[in-house]
Amino acid sequence: MWEMIVSELTQAMQELARGFAHLLPRIIVVMIMALVGWVVAYLAKVILRGILRLIKFDKLSENAGASQLLTKAALPSATDLLCRFVFWIAWLGFILLGVQALGIVGLQEQIAKFFLFLPRLFVALLIMFFGLLLATFLSRAALLAAVNANFPAPRLLSVSVRTIIIIFVLSMAFEEVGVAEQTVLVAFGVAFGALMLGLAIAFGTGGKELAQQFLEKRFGRGRKDEGKEDELSPL
Amino acid sequence: MPLKQDEPWYKHAIIYQVHVRTFYDSNGDGIGDFPGLDQKLDYLGDLGINTIWLMPFFPSPLRDDGYDIADYYSVHSSYGTLEDFKGFLSSAHKRQIRVIIEMVLNHTSDQHPWFHQSRSSKENPRRDWYVWRNTDTGYADARIIFLDTEMSNWAWDPVSKSYYWHRFFSHQPDLNYDNPAVQEEMWNVMKFWLEMGVDGFRLDAVPYLVEREGTNCENLPETHAILKELRRKLDEQFPGKMLLAEANQWPADLRPYFADGNEFHMAFHFPLMPRMFMGVKLEDRKPITEILRQTPEIPASCQWCLFLRNHDELTLEMVNDVERDYMNDSYAQDKAMRLNLGIRRRLAPLLENDRRRIELMNGMLMSLPGTPSIYYGDEIGMGDNINLGDRNGVRTPMQWSGGWNGGFSAADPEKLYAPLIQDPVYGSPAVNVLSQKRTQHSLLNWMGRLIAVRKATGAFGSGSIEFLYPGNQRILAYVRQLDDEKILVVNNLSNAAQAVELDLRRYKGNILIEMFGQNIFPRVGELPYLLTLGPYQFFWFRLRRI
Amino acid sequence: MAEESFLTDDFLGQLISVGEVDILVGVPTHNNTKTIGSIIETIQAGILTFFPRERAAIINADGGSRDGTPQLVVGAAIGDAQRSSKLYALRTLRSISTQYASSPASGTALRTILAAAELLRAKACAVISPESTQMTTDWLAALLRPVYSETSDLVLPTYSRHRFDGILLTNLLYPMTRAVYGLRIREPYALEFAFSGRLGSQFLAQNAWHEETARAGSEMQFTLAAIAGGYRICQSFLGTKQHVERHSADLVQAMRQTVGALFFSLEPNFSLWSTKAGSQPIPTTGAEQEFTLEPVRINRKQLREMFSTGVAELESVFQSILSPSTLAELQRIAGLEETSFCYSAELWVKTVYEFAAAYHKSVISRDHIIQALAPLFRGRAFTFLTENHNGSAANVEDNVEALCLEFERMKPYLLKIWNGRE
C-alpha cells in the first residue's frame, strides 16, 4: 500500500515535473516579457514626461480645470497621473502579451478584448480632457461677457454653460467607451431638450424686456436715447 | 511729310529773335551792324531758322535799347545805312528767310522831332500828337509798368510847362491815337517798310495805345478798332504779311487781339512762359495744363507765338502772388536778378546750365501749339551778366568763337557796346558757335536737329492739341494732330526717372515711331501704354498705323 | 524693406503715379460718408495753407465702406483743373484710396498707410481720424510742423476735453504708460498723430502684425514702438476733442485695444522699462491738457453696481489673477455703502499691476483677463467721478497727477510680482 502511494506520488511528481518542465520556458518567456515590458514602460514614461513638460501640459490642465479636480481628489498632478497611467498600461500590456504565450485559451480572448478596448478608452479620456478645457473657457467667457453687459444672473449663465458642455462631453465619452450607451444617450437627449425648452419659455415670457433690450443693443442702430444721463466715452 | 501749302507761312515759322547790335560787327567799331548780320545768315540758315525778328534798329538815343525811336524812316548810324538794311533783307530772302521788324506804335523817344515840335508850343500843329495835361491826375487807374524806375505815368515837361503821358520810361512820351493824323502817319511808317520788303511787324506795347478816363487804359475797344484798321489796310495792300502782338495779358484778355481773324495774326503767349519754368521746378505739370486749359480758342488763321526767353525780363506779371514768390525763390534768390516784377536772366543760367533741362524746355517750346521764337544765343546756351543794369545783362555780344572778343568784333574790347560774358562757365572760350559746330553732340547741333524734326511735320505748327492726363503728374503728355498725322509728345518734368502709364486706347493699333532715331516702339494695345523716361527726358512719337 | 504683398496692384499703380512726396496724410475710414467730406476739405486747406510748396498726398485706407466714402475722398483731389477752393494750389494734390479689407481693422489700415509712406518716401506723415469733425486747419500744422522741421519723430495730440471724458485714459493708460515707460504722454492712444518717415519705416519692419494687432490696438503699439526705439516724441495741443457717443459695451472693446496693447507690450520691452524709474515730461507745444467743466449727468450708480456685481460673480476668475490680499480688499469695499465707497488710488494701482503680471504669465486666456478688468475699472471710474464732481479743472489735474505718482511709486511692486509666483 505504501509503495502504491509512493509510486503514485512519484508518478504524479514526475507528471508535475514534466508539466512544469513543459511550462517552464513559457513562464520564463513571461518573466522576460515582464522585464522587457517594465523597461519599455519606464522609457515610455520618461519620454512622455519630457514631452508633457515641453508642452506645458500641467498648465493646460490647470486651464481645463482638471488640476483642481485632481487636487480635490487628492490625486497627483496631471502630468504625473498620465505618465503613471501610461506606464502601467504599457507594462500590463507586455505582461499580458507574455501571458498570451502561455496559451491558456479563455484568457487569450479576454486579453484580445482588453487590447481592443484600450484605444477607445484613450479617445474617451481625450474627449473628456478637451471637453473640460472648452467648458472652462466658454463658461468663463460667458461669465465675463454677462458681467460686463450687466446681465442679471451672470453666474447662473456661466454655470449653465459649463454644465451643458460637461454633460455633452461626458455623454460623448461614455458613448465612446460603450458604457450604458443607450441610457446615456436618452438621458442626455431628454435633459438637453428640456433645458432648451425651459430656457426658451423663460426667455420668451419672463425675459421679454430683457430680450428686447438685448436685441436692441445687438442689432438696433438708432439707439433710443435713455433720456436721463449722458454717456461719456472711456477714451 | 510736306507742309501744307495753303497754311499761312507764320504757322511754320521758326523765329530767331536778334538785335543787330549784338550779332556781328563787320566794321570794327565794337557794335554789330547789318553787313555783319548779312554775313551770318548762313549760320542761321544752317540752324533751320526761317524767320528773323529784328529788335528796333531805328535812330534813337538808346535810353531804352532802341525802343525809344527818334526817326521811323531810317537806320541808326551805328548799325549801317538804309542800303545796308536793304542788302541784308535781300540776302535773307534769297535764303528763304523772312524778316519781321519791330514797330513801336505806342510811344516815341523824347528826342523825336515830332515831340520837339509838339512840346514847343500849344499851337504847334503836332501839339495833339502827344497826350498833354495841365495836371498829373488823369487816368488814375492805369498801372505803372516800369515799377523800378518810374513813379508816375505823367511827366513834367519844363519846355511846354505841362504834363505828358508815358506808360513806359519818362523819356518815351505816348503818341495820341485819338488824333487821326497820328494814325495815318503810323500807317505810312509801316507802309514804308512794307514796300521795302519786310515780311511783318512785331507791334510793341499794343494794349496801351488809347487812354480813357475811369479805365485801366489797357485793351480798350478804341485800341482794337485802330489795330483792326491797320490790319485791314495791310491785307488790302500787302497780303501775306504778318502782325505779331506784344501784349502781356491773361489769355482771356489776349483773345480780343485776334478778333475774328481780322486783327493780329499772332500774339505772344505770355502767361504760358513762366509756367513752363514753374512746372519744371515743381516737377508738376499742373501750372502748364491749367493755363493751356484756360487759353481760349483762336481763329483758324491765327497763331500763338511761344518763347522761353526774350530780351526783356522773364515777366511774372501774369502769375499770382503765390506763384510769383515761388518763382522768385526758385529762380532768383539773388535779388539783383529781379527787375520790374520779373527775372532778368538768360535760359541757360535759369536752368543752371543743365543740358537736359535746356533740351526739355526747348522740346516743349517746339511741340506745344504755336510758333516758337528762339532768343539769340540761347541755341548755344549763352550766359548773362546781371551787373549790366536794366536788362542789358541778357543782351551781350554773340559768342562766335573762343578768340578775340569772342569772334564778335575786331575792335578793342573796351570799345564793345557791352562787355562779353567772361566767367569760366559761360564765357566765350567755353560757350561759342565754332566749338559747338565742331562737337557732334553740342547743344547747337542738337538744336539744329530738333528744329529739323519740328519742320518735318505740319502737326506741330498747325495741328490740334489734346492733353493726356496720366496719373503721374510729373509727366506732361499730349497728342498733336493734323488731319491723319498724329504725334504723341511725352515730357518728364522731373529730375528723377519716371514710369508712366498712358491711356492710348483711342490710338489702339498704332505703332509708335520715335521721331529722332526713327526706331519703332511697341504697338498700342488695350492695356495702358507703359513708358519709362530718364530725368528731364522727352519723347516725340509719330503714331503710325500699318 | 517692408513687405508689400498686402498692397493691391491697383493701389501700387496709384502710388507709382503719385511719386515721392514730402507730406502724407492718411485717413482710415469705414462708412464715414457723413463726416469725410469736411475732413478732407480741412486737410486740403491745411496743406495748402501751411505747406503750399511741398509735395503732398492724401491716402485713404478704407475698410469696406458701402456708402461711397472712398469716392468722396478721391473726388476731392486737386489735379490739372483747379478746383474752386478758396486757396490757390501751386501743385497737384493727390488724393487716393484703397480698400485694405472687407471689414474694418485699424491695424491693417495703419499698416497700409505706413507702407504708402515708405514707398513714397514721405518725410512727414499724419494720420487723421475721419470722425474728428472739430478738426481745424491748424491741427495739421500743429501735428506736422515738428516732424517736418525734423525736431521730432512722433507728435501726439493733446486736447481740451471734458474732465470726465476719457476716464480710462486718465486713470489707467496715461498713469501706467507714464510710470512704466517713464514718459508723460497724455494720449498714448491717439486717433490723430504725426510721425516721421523714419519711425514709420521702423514700425513697419517690425514683426508686430499678428492677427490681434491687425484688428485693433496698433495706435498704442506705435507709440510704444517709438518709446522703445528712443525716438523723439513731443505733444501738440490741437483743440477740443470731439465727444463721441459710445455704447457702454464698447468699454471692453476699448480696453482690448488699449489696455490689451499696453499689457502686451510689457513683455517684449521688459529690458527697456524695468530699469526706468520716475518719469520725464516731453516737449509740448500749446497747452498740455485742458479740462472743461461743463456740467454733465452721468449714471454713476450703475458703475458702482456693476463693480459690485463683478467682484461677486467673478471671484473664481479673480482668484487666478489677483493676490489674496487685493481680492479681499476689493470684496470689502464692494460691500460698502455708496457714500463711503472708495476705490483708492493705491488699491487701483495694485489691481492694475497684478492684472498686468497675470497677463504676462497668461494665467488664463489673456482676453479674459482684460474682460475681467472691466468691472473693476468701473468701480474706479465711480470713485474718480465722485472725487472730482465739484472740483475745478486744476483739482482734476492734481488728482490725475497724484494717481500718476502713485503708479510710479508702486512700480517696484510690479517688478516684484512680474516673474515670481504670488
Side-chain angles (χ1 to χ4, degrees):
Chain A
M1 176 92 156
W2 180 249
E3 277 144 14
M4 218 164 40
I5 297 170
V6 168
S7 87
E8 280 296 312
L9 216 58
T10 322
Q11 208 174 5
M13 283 301 221
Q14 274 177 349
E15 266 187 46
L16 198 64
R18 223 176 292 134
F20 198 66
H22 198 247
L23 216 53
L24 190 62
R26 291 189 189 163
I27 292 176
I28 292 174
V29 165
V30 171
M31 286 174 73
I32 292 173
M33 289 294 282
L35 194 68
V36 169
W38 190 91
V39 172
V40 170
Y42 186 75
L43 276 175
K45 176 167 126 181
V46 167
I47 292 171
L48 185 66
R49 175 161 290 160
I51 293 172
L52 290 179
R53 283 251 171 81
L54 214 65
I55 65 169
K56 293 201 175 82
F57 188 69
D58 269 332
K59 192 80 181 291
L60 219 60
S61 82
E62 210 178 292
N63 281 346
S67 300
Q68 280 92 324
L69 285 171
L70 289 173
T71 352
K72 272 195 193 146
L75 285 168
S77 80
T79 316
D80 267 339
L81 196 64
L82 195 60
C83 290
R84 281 193 208 181
F85 182 70
V86 164
F87 173 78
W88 280 107
I89 294 282
W91 199 22
L92 199 64
F94 268 94
I95 292 173
L96 287 174
L97 269 175
V99 167
Q100 210 175 40
L102 285 174
I104 303 166
V105 175
L107 212 53
Q108 270 179 334
E109 239 179 77
Q110 293 305 318
I111 290 170
K113 274 202 190 148
F114 175 73
F115 276 115
L116 278 174
F117 177 68
L118 274 183
R120 295 176 71 182
L121 179 66
F122 185 69
V123 168
L125 285 174
L126 218 64
I127 290 172
M128 277 200 61
F129 182 76
F130 283 109
L132 263 178
L133 201 66
L134 189 69
T136 314
F137 185 85
L138 285 179
S139 72
R140 194 194 310 134
L143 178 66
L144 287 166
V147 165
N148 279 323
N150 210 17
F151 267 27
R155 213 167 326 186
L156 179 63
L157 182 67
S158 163
V159 167
S160 311
V161 168
R162 190 186 181 88
T163 314
I164 290 172
I165 296 179
I166 288 183
I167 292 175
F168 189 66
V169 163
L170 271 176
S171 312
M172 282 178 67
F174 277 129
E175 192 190 324
E176 186 60 29
V177 295
V179 171
E181 273 180 74
Q182 302 297 341
T183 321
V184 169
L185 267 171
V186 170
F188 172 75
V190 168
F192 195 70
L195 184 65
M196 283 298 113
L197 186 64
L199 278 178
I201 294 172
F203 198 65
T205 59
K208 237 192 334 197
E209 270 175 35
L210 195 64
Q212 188 183 24
Q213 261 183 43
F214 176 77
L215 287 171
E216 256 182 32
K217 280 182 191 164
R218 272 278 158 268
F219 300 109
R221 240 162 265 278
R223 208 162 53 92
K224 275 192 288 231
D225 218 71
E226 305 280 323
K228 283 172 252 140
E229 52 276 333
D230 292 327
E231 276 241 39
L232 287 170
S233 68
L235 286 171
Chain B
M1 280 287 223
L3 302 181
K4 288 191 97 163
Q5 296 310 312
D6 51 351
E7 287 278 1
W9 60 266
Y10 47 86
K11 288 217 172 189
H12 304 291
I14 309 286
I15 301 177
Y16 191 83
Q17 178 194 0
V18 67
H19 197 312
V20 63
R21 169 160 51 97
T22 66
F23 217 55
Y24 188 65
D25 171 26
S26 67
N27 62 356
D29 63 352
I31 303 171
D33 43 53
F34 277 109
L37 182 55
D38 194 334
Q39 289 178 42
K40 294 299 182 184
L41 279 171
D42 281 333
Y43 162 75
L44 293 176
D46 287 343
L47 185 55
I49 303 301
N50 57 18
T51 310
I52 294 177
W53 156 24
L54 283 175
M55 314 259 307
F57 49 78
F58 307 97
S60 155
L62 296 180
R63 293 176 69 190
D64 185 20
D65 209 24
Y67 283 90
D68 48 339
I69 297 173
D71 178 0
Y72 282 99
Y73 293 98
S74 182
V75 171
H76 195 292
S77 54
S78 301
Y79 313 141
T81 61
L82 210 49
E83 289 310 308
D84 291 332
F85 177 78
K86 287 180 189 164
F88 154 74
L89 195 58
S90 152
S91 299
H93 284 156
K94 275 205 203 77
R95 289 172 177 79
Q96 317 294 321
I97 297 177
R98 289 185 163 88
V99 177
I100 351 178
I101 67 172
E102 282 284 348
M103 185 48 57
V104 183
L105 291 182
N106 184 59
H107 49 265
T108 70
S109 165
D110 61 359
Q111 299 307 307
H112 198 296
W114 296 346
F115 188 67
H116 287 154
Q117 292 164 24
S118 183
R119 83 199 314 182
S120 62
S121 91
K122 293 197 167 66
E123 287 72 38
N124 188 290
R126 291 212 207 261
R127 179 67 180 177
D128 269 341
W129 281 48
Y130 295 87
V131 184
W132 295 99
R133 287 283 161 84
N134 290 325
T135 62
D136 62 350
T137 51
Y139 309 125
D141 295 329
R143 67 189 168 107
I144 297 171
I145 294 166
F146 285 160
L147 290 162
D148 286 1
T149 42
E150 301 299 326
M151 296 289 118
S152 161
N153 287 325
W154 291 105
W156 172 255
D157 177 40
V159 173
S160 82
K161 305 250 188 306
S162 36
Y163 291 94
Y164 62 86
W165 180 249
H166 65 91
R167 288 311 293 274
F168 294 89
F169 286 121
S170 56
H171 56 78
Q172 294 167 311
D174 269 31
L175 285 165
N176 176 17
Y177 274 85
D178 286 324
N179 185 341
V182 168
Q183 293 182 32
E184 174 149 354
E185 183 58 24
M186 293 317 288
W187 168 246
N188 289 339
V189 169
M190 286 169 71
K191 199 163 142 184
F192 173 78
W193 294 95
L194 287 165
E195 278 165 351
M196 203 184 299
V198 302
D199 300 286
F201 297 100
R202 175 208 185 249
L203 297 182
D204 187 68
V206 285
Y208 314 105
L209 294 185
V210 175
E211 301 75 42
R212 286 285 178 269
E213 217 45 79
T215 69
N216 65 354
C217 303
E218 293 177 41
N219 311 319
L220 297 177
E222 293 86 340
T223 303
H224 286 292
I226 291 166
L227 294 165
K228 283 198 184 69
E229 179 59 19
L230 282 173
R231 170 68 186 269
R232 192 192 61 73
K233 289 192 184 127
L234 185 79
D235 282 345
E236 205 175 66
Q237 301 171 33
F238 301 97
K241 306 293 182 182
M242 186 268 283
L243 293 178
L244 167 58
E246 188 238 6
N248 192 356
Q249 304 287 330
W250 291 100
D253 293 325
L254 268 174
R255 176 65 186 84
Y257 285 92
F258 296 108
D260 294 319
N262 58 346
E263 204 166 313
F264 280 93
H265 303 81
M266 286 177 63
F268 288 104
H269 198 314
F270 273 97
L272 173 60
M273 181 266 302
R275 284 177 178 79
M276 290 167 74
F277 285 92
M278 227 192 302
V280 167
K281 223 5 148 175
L282 284 170
E283 299 191 0
D284 192 330
R285 63 173 186 250
K286 182 168 177 290
I288 300 172
T289 51
E290 211 170 68
I291 196 68
L292 286 171
R293 281 163 83 114
Q294 290 172 19
T295 298
E297 288 286 319
I298 54 178
S301 62
C302 297
Q303 179 79 315
W304 292 107
C305 186
L306 306 181
F307 62 103
L308 295 175
R309 294 302 319 109
N310 59 19
H311 59 293
D312 283 333
E313 67 277 18
L314 195 171
T315 178
L316 297 175
E317 276 177 65
M318 295 299 132
V319 297
N320 64 34
D321 291 337
V322 176
E323 292 165 326
R324 189 173 306 121
D325 286 340
Y326 182 75
M327 285 292 284
N328 276 330
D329 287 343
S330 307
Y331 285 107
Q333 284 111 355
D334 183 350
K335 294 214 171 61
M337 297 172 188
R338 304 181 198 178
L339 183 75
N340 293 341
L341 268 190
I343 303 172
R344 46 178 179 167
R345 308 204 66 194
R346 263 190 186 267
L347 183 67
L350 277 169
L351 300 177
E352 296 168 299
N353 212 22
D354 181 349
R355 172 72 184 264
R356 292 192 214 202
R357 251 182 284 175
I358 294 173
E359 289 186 7
L360 174 68
M361 291 289 272
N362 276 299
M364 286 198 282
L365 174 70
M366 294 286 166
S367 62
L368 283 171
T371 294
S373 168
I374 300 171
Y375 186 55
Y376 88 93
D378 279 351
E379 75 274 19
I380 54 173
M382 262 174 75
D384 53 35
N385 182 353
I386 56 175
N387 298 301
L388 285 182
D390 195 38
R391 291 151 293 176
N392 296 325
V394 307
R395 304 171 185 180
T396 56
M398 182 68 180
Q399 291 163 205
W400 294 103
S401 72
W404 185 263
N405 287 331
F408 164 75
S409 159
D412 287 341
E414 295 79 1
K415 274 185 89 175
L416 297 184
Y417 76 92
L420 274 158
I421 304 292
Q422 281 164 16
D423 69 84
V425 177
Y426 296 106
S428 53
V431 175
N432 64 73
V433 170
L434 189 60
S435 48
Q436 290 204 16
K437 269 202 184 294
R438 292 170 75 164
T439 320
Q440 189 187 5
H441 296 288
S442 62
L443 180 60
L444 177 63
N445 285 329
W446 182 87
M447 287 291 289
R449 279 196 291 279
L450 180 74
I451 291 171
V453 175
R454 149 101 192 193
K455 281 160 86 173
T457 165
F460 286 125
S462 315
S464 64
I465 182 166
E466 194 198 308
F467 282 97
L468 303 170
Y469 296 104
N472 188 342
Q473 73 270 14
R474 292 161 178 80
I475 302 295
L476 173 67
Y478 41 91
V479 176
R480 305 297 314 274
Q481 181 165 3
L482 180 67
D483 299 330
D484 285 331
E485 211 186 332
K486 294 186 263 285
I487 315 269
L488 168 67
V489 178
V490 186
N491 303 290
N492 175 8
L493 300 177
S494 110
N495 189 18
Q498 296 291 329
V500 63
E501 288 187 323
L502 297 171
D503 181 1
L504 297 179
R505 273 171 300 177
R506 68 151 76 176
Y507 305 108
K508 188 172 151 189
N510 277 285
I511 300 172
L512 267 57
I513 302 176
E514 197 276 319
M515 286 171 74
F516 288 88
Q518 304 296 334
N519 282 321
I520 48 178
F521 271 55
R523 183 162 50 191
V524 180
E526 264 301 317
L527 295 174
Y529 198 90
L530 175 69
L531 275 176
T532 54
L533 295 104
Y536 298 126
Q537 189 186 3
F538 67 93
F539 282 126
W540 289 0
F541 292 112
R542 190 189 296 277
L543 296 175
R544 176 102 160 81
R545 185 187 283 280
I546 297 182
Chain C
M1 202 51 195
E3 264 191 32
E4 296 117 31
S5 53
F6 68 97
L7 299 174
T8 62
D9 280 340
D10 175 64
F11 186 52
L12 207 49
Q14 291 187 73
L15 290 178
I16 292 173
S17 292
V18 173
E20 189 177 11
V21 297
D22 302 305
I23 307 262
L24 186 136
V25 179
V27 186
T29 58
H30 178 66
N31 290 333
N32 297 108
T33 192
K34 285 200 195 77
T35 54
I36 195 69
S38 69
I39 294 287
I40 295 292
E41 221 176 85
T42 311
I43 293 175
Q44 280 184 349
I47 293 174
L48 294 180
T49 309
F50 297 106
F51 304 98
R53 295 186 185 177
E54 276 70 21
R55 298 164 296 181
I58 299 175
I59 310 284
N60 164 235
D62 183 71
S65 292
R66 296 218 179 80
D67 59 356
T69 300
Q71 285 75 13
L72 284 176
V73 175
V74 171
I78 296 180
D80 298 276
Q82 174 68 37
R83 301 276 149 165
S84 58
S85 69
K86 296 150 215 138
L87 285 162
Y88 176 74
L90 192 62
R91 292 180 174 279
T92 305
L93 176 55
R94 300 300 304 271
S95 191
I96 65 179
S97 175
T98 184
Q99 182 174 324
Y100 59 84
S102 48
S103 62
S106 80
T108 315
L110 181 63
R111 193 179 177 204
T112 308
I113 294 169
L114 288 172
E118 174 160 324
L119 289 173
L120 301 185
R121 299 189 299 288
K123 194 169 162 196
C125 321
V127 173
I128 303 285
S129 157
E131 288 169 351
S132 301
T133 49
Q134 272 159 336
M135 178 182 170
T136 63
T137 55
D138 293 329
W139 283 30
L140 272 177
L143 287 172
L144 284 168
R145 272 223 188 102
V147 180
Y148 195 70
S149 61
E150 295 185 17
T151 54
S152 190
D153 289 300
L154 178 65
V155 179
L156 294 167
T158 61
Y159 302 100
S160 169
R161 281 177 180 272
H162 190 275
R163 65 202 148 118
F164 293 151
D165 202 17
I167 295 183
L168 185 60
L169 205 53
T170 48
N171 279 266
L172 206 172
L173 295 173
Y174 167 51
M176 185 161 173
T177 308
R178 167 175 162 163
V180 168
Y181 288 102
L183 288 175
R184 299 184 193 170
I185 298 176
R186 292 311 292 236
E187 302 267 347
Y189 174 77
L191 292 175
E192 38 254 339
F193 55 96
F195 54 95
S196 67
R198 234 172 31 109
L199 173 56
S201 296
Q202 156 84 2
F203 188 63
L204 190 63
Q206 287 171 5
N207 289 329
W209 303 102
H210 317 139
E211 182 63 38
E212 272 291 319
T213 54
R215 261 183 293 115
S218 50
E219 288 87 355
M220 183 110 195
Q221 293 217 350
F222 198 77
T223 310
L224 296 172
I227 298 172
Y231 288 87
R232 299 162 298 178
I233 305 178
C234 78
Q235 294 178 138
S236 224
F237 181 73
L238 295 186
T240 314
K241 172 83 168 168
Q242 174 72 19
H243 159 190
V244 175
E245 290 258 328
R246 289 212 212 194
H247 192 261
S248 58
D250 286 335
L251 173 64
V252 176
Q253 184 59 14
M255 287 182 75
R256 278 200 183 102
Q257 288 177 352
T258 54
V259 183
L262 178 58
F263 284 178
F264 185 80
S265 78
L266 296 178
E267 196 169 301
N269 295 307
F270 181 74
S271 50
L272 172 73
W273 60 265
S274 55
T275 49
K276 286 201 175 141
S279 66
Q280 301 300 319
I282 60 175
T284 306
T285 324
E288 190 172 299
Q289 187 77 330
E290 274 176 16
F291 287 115
T292 61
L293 298 169
E294 296 117 44
V296 71
R297 290 158 303 164
I298 306 171
N299 188 356
R300 288 185 288 152
K301 192 155 170 232
Q302 192 186 44
L303 289 173
R304 204 196 81 76
E305 277 169 11
M306 287 179 82
F307 167 78
S308 300
T309 313
V311 169
E313 304 288 348
L314 297 175
E315 184 178 342
S316 56
V317 179
F318 289 144
Q319 275 167 352
S320 314
I321 299 173
L322 295 169
S323 68
S325 59
T326 309
L327 180 55
E329 185 59 19
L330 284 172
Q331 284 166 333
R332 186 188 70 80
I333 64 171
L336 291 176
E337 285 298 312
E338 187 172 313
T339 44
S340 43
F341 179 84
C342 174
Y343 196 153
S344 71
E346 187 182 330
L347 182 58
W348 172 239
V349 174
K350 267 188 95 182
T351 310
V352 173
Y353 279 160
E354 284 173 14
F355 264 78
Y359 187 97
H360 161 63
K361 296 176 215 159
S362 292
V363 295
I364 57 175
S365 147
R366 280 179 167 179
D367 187 58
H368 289 179
I369 294 176
I370 300 296
Q371 287 188 53
L373 185 55
L376 299 182
F377 168 72
R378 289 195 177 92
R380 172 64 199 166
F382 176 82
T383 299
F384 183 76
L385 290 171
T386 313
E387 273 175 9
N388 294 293
H389 191 57
N390 294 314
S392 67
N395 287 118
V396 180
E397 184 59 36
D398 288 339
N399 286 332
V400 172
E401 182 68 17
L403 182 60
C404 292
L405 292 172
E406 191 63 26
F407 266 89
E408 286 179 25
R409 190 181 68 81
M410 293 191 65
K411 186 170 172 183
Y413 179 67
L414 172 63
L415 288 165
K416 188 176 96 171
I417 59 175
W418 185 252
N419 273 317
R421 294 211 160 263
E422 346 118 19

